[in-house]
Structures are given as structure tokens and as C-alpha cells.
Amino acid sequence: MNHINKRSPKGAFQFILLTISIAMKPVALAILFLTTLLATSKSSNSGLPLPIYPLQPLTGSGHEHHLHGISCQSWRLGVETNNIQGWKTVPLSCEAYVGHYMLGHLYRQDSKVVTNEAALYAEGLNLTKDGKDVWVFDIDETTLSNLPYYAEHGFGAEPYNSTLFDAWVDTGKAPALPESLKLYKKLLSLGFKIVFLTGRLEKRREITVTNLKSVGYHTWEKLILKSSNDSGTALAIKSSKRKELEAQGYKILGNMGDQWSDILGNNAGQRTFKLPDPMYYIS
Amino acid sequence: MNHINKRSPKGAFQFILLTISIAMKPVALAILFLTTLLATSKSSNSGLPLPIYPLQPLTGSGHEHHLHGISCQSWRLGVETNNIQGWKTVPLSCEAYVGHYMLGHLYRQDSKVVTNEAALYAEGLNLTKDGKDVWVFDIDETTLSNLPYYAEHGFGAEPYNSTLFDAWVDTGKAPALPESLKLYKKLLSLGFKIVFLTGRLEKRREITVTNLKSVGYHTWEKLILKSSNDSGTALAIKSSKRKELEAQGYKILGNMGDQWSDILGNNAGQRTFKLPDPMYYIS
């Protein structure tokens, strides 16, 4: 409970509500929203240095330096469209903006747009039903959410700490992304074979299986993890794994990830889908 | 003066201000902003059916039907990330949202993020200076703006009318996109050769040359238009033109467009940049 608690005693409460809200109970969300508003007004009254701002562009001069005069809203679009590449952390001045985005309605809405389009596309395909029609899903921020971790680590504004992040992964407690889980079930019902392709290491296979199953991903054709002798960028490794997959006769009809490195490169799939993720960038 | 004027007698005034604002004088923008606010409050007082809304998600039940429950803001992100493909018109319920986006600060900001990243990338390259280092620009909504036309035609919510649009192009009065013009000048100063690659037909070469020169694009290596025997999608045609270009020894180091069909396909360029355009989609 790092950043949030430093700012406001309401942080712990918000975090609990976050966990509930991931299951997307509308009532919990409404309470979260109200609590956030409350926390905001309290923070400004008490003059704390980092109140949580409502979701809107930050254009004060104090913020412009790090972003060369652009707003966090425009920064996020730049990131989502792959115009801004290779960034290491969320700009410090956008931490609160990204936090509000991730905890609010918009992240869920933006995800839903993507999975809706994916479902429409999938329904329109004529599957061969030979067991080779594949949909590829990335795992982190695509099927499982690490938001409970990132909510404690500046929503990507803190430098990445692999020790802490791996410890979180090893708890096996990442919730499902609700819109992705819905799509996963739809794809299974249509006859797709599911392949999970992740940058997680092979040594995390067991905890990953446990985590996936515990939140509703009960079956798949393959779970492909990164082996200790894979080297290069995520883009190169994932391209190579997809090439192997198609060499085995699988047809990648859909491919969904939160990173452009999930969906660019060779054998990308007949159609690709980019889920939102303003918290980190993987090459 | 179609949609805007129907709504409010202030429409004509707004349109004049729009034309001025494209040259991006801060004072004109401030006046435009105030006028828009004024027009909005007047519209709601007089109970007109289509007031221009401030830039925010439309989530009223009246809007949800066409968008399957998603907001215009999420729709726009879906479009910009190429998750939503092949759409014919802006959803009617998003006309006012897109209008405000295009006329307000955000479109300019979002464009600036892209051209800033492009400039940073370009500055970091070691050019061979053999006259073969090329930057490819699309024309419409990339170097020239058709916003004065679209402001009169529902910002993309009206079905595309080629007769009317061609008549507008033939006036040769499209203003420059100010951030793109700035980037163009920077690229020239760095030693790039500029290639314009457009879906405009060869028969519009002369008016296109006149228009480009009149707004500040004074020089280029090639202006490649669509010839009468080019067939297929824009993506296929542009890919093929780029392939010819590289066969001639040019190296496409950067490629910028407002459509994904400008920057996907073969010989796309060493790095590509996607400018915002929520008004239309070209395959």
C-alpha cells in the first residue's frame, strides 16, 4: 500500500473497493466514485501535495514541463496509437490521471469497445471446426489484470520493480478482466481454440494455470510462456512462437493484447485487437 | 453551410472563426471557445433539437442505442487504435462530440503529440544525405485539412458525397494542418526528401500543387497521386506505390497518415505515425 496510502487515509478503503469493483458490481463502482470524489475534496482542503484529480486534462504549468506542453489525455492517445514508443514510466504529472482512468468507468468502456468488435468479427467468421481455428490472447492486462498491484505502485509512474511485480504474480491473485473473460467464453462457444501467449517465464506456468482457472479461464489449447533460452524483444519472441504455432497447422484468426508488441510482427493473425493499457510499455 | 447553420444563427460566425482558428491564432481560438460556449447555452435555452455539446462522453439513453452502450469518447479511441474498422459514417449520436473535438483544443493537441514524436525520431536518425532519405506524408487530414468542408457536412456523420467533396477539393482552399506544416519544415531542414502519397486522383494534380504551395508546402521530391488504372484498396495501392519508391532506391524512414491504410501494408517505412481523424475511415 504505497502511493495511495501516503496521500490519504482513504487509500486503503479505495483499494478494497477497487478489488470489488474489478468484478464490476455497479453499486460498488458508484461507492468508489463517491469515495474518490470525497478523497479529492479532502485532499485539496488539507493541502496535500498529490491529491487525486478528476479525470480531465492536466494543463497547469507545473505539469507541462515533463510532457512538453501536452495534456495527459493526449499523452494517453499517443500511447494507445503507438505513436509514443519505448517509454519507461508514466509521466509523474500523469500518475493521478492514469489512476483515475484505470479505476473509473472509462477503462472498462474502452476495453468493452475492443472486445465487442472482436466478438462481432468472430461471429462473422466461418470456422473450419477442425480444431485449428485459434484465438491468441496475451495474459497480463489482457486476460488477467494487475491493477491491484499497479494501484499500489503509482499506476506505472514508479519505475518497474521486477522483484515486487514477480512477488505479486506469484500470489496468483490477479482478477480476470471482465470484458475479456466474456469474450473468451463467447469464442469457446463459437468453437475457437484458445492459445495464451505470454511474456511470463516458464517457471511461472503453475501459478499462471492456477490463477487463470481460479478466475474463470478453465480451458485452452496451449499456454505458451517465455522459456529461459528465448532472447530478444517481446515482439520478436511472440512472432517466433506464433510462427511455430502456424507451422503446426493452427490458423490464427484473432490476436488480442494490451501491447503493440503482442500484435505486430509476423504471423500476427488475420485480425488483431489492441486493449487499452496506459501503465506500461513493452517492446 | 449545412448542419451548423440549421442549429443556430451563430453557426456562420463559428465557421468564420473556425477558418481563422485553423491558422491557430490563440486569440481567435479563445473567441471561438467562448462563442461555442455561448451558442451551447443559447441552444439549450431555446430548446433546439441538436445543440452542440461540450466535449464529454454522451451516455444518455438516447445515445446508447447506436453505439451499443458505449460513449463517443470510447468510440473515438476504438477508431484511432484501429479496433473499429470499416465504418461508413460517424454515429449520428456522436456528431456533436466529434464536432467539438475537431473544433476544440484536443484535436490540435493530439496532432501535436504525434508530430512531436515524429520530430524527435527524425532528429535521432543519421541521414545518408544522398537524396534518398524519404519521409512520406499522406495529404488529406495529414498535411491539408478538410475541416472547413466537414464542418458543413456533419463532421463525418453525413454519408460521404463524392460530388460535393470533390467540388471542395477543387477550390484548392484547404488550409495546412499547422503541426504537420511545422514538422514538414523541420524535416526539410534536417535533409529529408518529402514524398506526398495521396488517394486523390491524378486529374487533381494541378489543384493539389496549387493548394499545397499556397499554404506553405513549397517543395517536394515526388507527389504521387492515384492513377485511373490503380485498383484495389487504398492500403494495397499505397503499398504498391511505396514498393516502387523503394525499388527506385529511396529509403522510407518515416511515414505519416491519418488513416491506418496509409501506414499498414508493405514498405510501410522504418517508423509510422498515425494522426487523429475521427471523421472518416478509408480501407
Side-chain angles (χ1 to χ4, degrees):
Chain A
M1 305 302 288
N2 192 340
H3 274 59
I4 285 193
N5 278 2
K6 275 189 202 152
R7 272 170 218 156
S8 145
K10 292 219 172 351
F13 183 39
Q14 277 183 30
F15 178 69
I16 295 162
L17 282 169
L18 157 67
T19 314
I20 301 167
S21 78
I22 283 164
M24 291 324 233
K25 310 268 186 267
V27 176
L29 254 187
I31 298 170
L32 172 67
F33 191 59
L34 289 171
T35 319
T36 309
L37 282 178
L38 216 68
T40 309
S41 69
K42 284 270 166 125
S43 305
S44 26
N45 289 346
S46 63
L48 284 177
L50 280 169
I52 298 198
Y53 293 92
L55 191 56
Q56 56 180 300
L58 298 173
T59 50
S61 60
H63 300 289
E64 291 190 308
H65 176 67
H66 304 286
L67 287 170
H68 311 285
I70 64 161
S71 69
C72 297
Q73 193 176 5
S74 290
W75 176 83
R76 180 166 64 85
L77 183 68
V79 160
E80 293 300 346
T81 49
N82 208 23
N83 285 306
I84 302 176
Q85 300 184 355
W87 48 282
K88 301 290 181 202
T89 54
V90 167
L92 267 182
S93 57
C94 293
E95 177 182 345
Y97 172 87
V98 171
H100 273 267
Y101 172 76
M102 296 300 296
L103 297 179
H105 293 283
L106 201 50
Y107 173 53
R108 178 76 185 266
Q109 279 247 12
D110 289 348
S111 304
K112 193 178 170 177
V113 168
V114 185
T115 55
N116 278 357
E117 291 299 315
L120 281 172
Y121 161 74
E123 283 165 349
L125 293 174
N126 276 319
L127 299 194
T128 54
K129 309 252 174 151
D130 58 358
K132 298 292 186 182
D133 300 314
V134 156
W135 194 281
V136 173
F137 279 106
D138 167 55
I139 292 184
D140 293 295
E141 269 54 69
T142 300
T143 47
L144 297 179
S145 171
N146 298 302
L147 190 48
Y149 173 84
Y150 280 101
E152 293 184 37
H153 294 91
F155 298 101
E158 272 183 28
Y160 176 67
N161 181 319
S162 61
T163 312
L164 292 178
F165 184 73
D166 290 348
W168 152 256
V169 169
D170 287 339
T171 67
K173 291 193 173 156
L177 280 153
E179 299 297 339
S180 299
L181 182 58
K182 217 182 287 177
L183 174 66
Y184 161 87
K185 288 176 180 169
K186 159 75 90 180
L187 293 171
L188 282 178
S189 78
L190 290 171
F192 281 88
K193 297 292 175 186
I194 304 297
V195 170
F196 292 114
L197 174 53
T198 175
R200 289 183 176 199
L201 288 170
E202 190 63 56
K203 66 180 174 187
R204 293 204 167 74
R205 178 178 290 274
E206 203 181 330
I207 192 67
T208 301
V209 167
T210 306
N211 198 153
L212 285 169
K213 294 205 168 183
S214 75
V215 298
Y217 300 98
H218 294 297
T219 182
W220 51 81
E221 182 76 3
K222 282 177 189 283
L223 165 59
I224 307 174
L225 299 102
K226 185 175 165 179
S227 82
S228 51
N229 46 16
D230 284 327
S231 66
T233 59
L235 191 144
I237 295 170
K238 291 195 167 184
S239 289
S240 146
K241 306 276 189 191
R242 288 191 307 259
K243 196 174 176 182
E244 283 173 34
L245 203 59
E246 297 211 306
Q248 291 159 21
Y250 291 103
K251 295 176 302 294
I252 304 174
L253 298 174
N255 178 11
M256 180 172 278
D258 64 300
Q259 299 290 321
W260 283 95
S261 54
D262 294 328
I263 56 175
L264 294 176
N266 58 258
N267 304 71
Q270 186 171 299
R271 189 163 161 191
T272 62
F273 296 90
K274 167 70 178 74
L275 285 168
D277 184 358
M279 301 190 300
Y280 56 87
Y281 180 91
I282 297 173
S283 296
Chain B
M1 304 301 288
N2 191 340
H3 276 59
I4 285 193
N5 278 2
K6 275 189 203 153
R7 270 170 221 157
S8 144
K10 292 223 171 352
F13 183 40
Q14 277 184 29
F15 178 68
I16 295 163
L17 281 169
L18 156 67
T19 314
I20 301 167
S21 79
I22 282 165
M24 291 324 235
K25 309 271 186 266
V27 177
L29 254 187
I31 297 171
L32 173 67
F33 191 60
L34 289 172
T35 319
T36 310
L37 282 179
L38 214 68
T40 309
S41 68
K42 284 268 164 123
S43 305
S44 26
N45 290 345
S46 63
L48 284 177
L50 280 168
I52 298 198
Y53 293 92
L55 192 57
Q56 56 179 299
L58 298 173
T59 49
S61 60
H63 300 288
E64 292 190 308
H65 177 68
H66 303 287
L67 286 170
H68 310 284
I70 64 161
S71 69
C72 296
Q73 193 176 5
S74 290
W75 176 82
R76 180 167 64 86
L77 183 69
V79 160
E80 293 300 347
T81 50
N82 208 23
N83 285 306
I84 303 176
Q85 301 184 354
W87 48 282
K88 301 291 180 200
T89 54
V90 168
L92 268 181
S93 57
C94 293
E95 177 182 345
Y97 172 86
V98 171
H100 272 267
Y101 172 76
M102 295 301 297
L103 297 178
H105 293 282
L106 199 50
Y107 174 53
R108 178 76 185 266
Q109 279 247 12
D110 288 348
S111 304
K112 192 177 171 178
V113 168
V114 185
T115 57
N116 277 358
E117 291 299 314
L120 281 171
Y121 161 73
E123 284 165 349
L125 293 174
N126 276 321
L127 298 195
T128 53
K129 309 251 175 149
D130 58 357
K132 298 292 186 182
D133 299 313
V134 156
W135 194 281
V136 173
F137 279 106
D138 167 55
I139 293 185
D140 294 295
E141 269 54 68
T142 299
T143 48
L144 297 179
S145 171
N146 298 302
L147 190 48
Y149 173 85
Y150 280 100
E152 293 184 36
H153 294 90
F155 298 102
E158 273 183 29
Y160 177 67
N161 181 319
S162 60
T163 311
L164 292 178
F165 184 73
D166 290 347
W168 151 256
V169 168
D170 287 339
T171 66
K173 290 190 173 157
L177 279 152
E179 299 298 340
S180 299
L181 182 58
K182 216 182 287 176
L183 174 65
Y184 162 88
K185 289 175 179 168
K186 159 75 90 179
L187 293 171
L188 282 178
S189 77
L190 291 172
F192 281 88
K193 297 293 176 186
I194 304 296
V195 171
F196 292 113
L197 174 53
T198 174
R200 289 185 176 199
L201 288 170
E202 189 62 56
K203 66 181 176 186
R204 293 202 168 76
R205 178 178 290 275
E206 203 182 327
I207 192 69
T208 300
V209 167
T210 306
N211 198 152
L212 284 169
K213 294 204 168 181
S214 74
V215 298
Y217 300 99
H218 294 297
T219 182
W220 51 81
E221 182 76 4
K222 282 177 187 284
L223 165 59
I224 307 174
L225 299 103
K226 185 175 164 179
S227 81
S228 51
N229 47 17
D230 285 328
S231 66
T233 59
L235 191 145
I237 295 170
K238 291 195 167 183
S239 289
S240 145
K241 306 276 188 192
R242 287 192 306 260
K243 196 174 174 181
E244 283 172 34
L245 203 59
E246 297 211 307
Q248 291 158 22
Y250 292 104
K251 295 177 300 293
I252 304 175
L253 298 174
N255 178 10
M256 180 172 280
D258 65 300
Q259 299 290 320
W260 283 95
S261 54
D262 295 328
I263 56 175
L264 293 176
N266 58 260
N267 303 74
Q270 186 171 299
R271 189 163 161 191
T272 62
F273 296 90
K274 167 70 178 73
L275 285 168
D277 183 359
M279 300 191 299
Y280 56 87
Y281 179 90
I282 297 173
S283 296

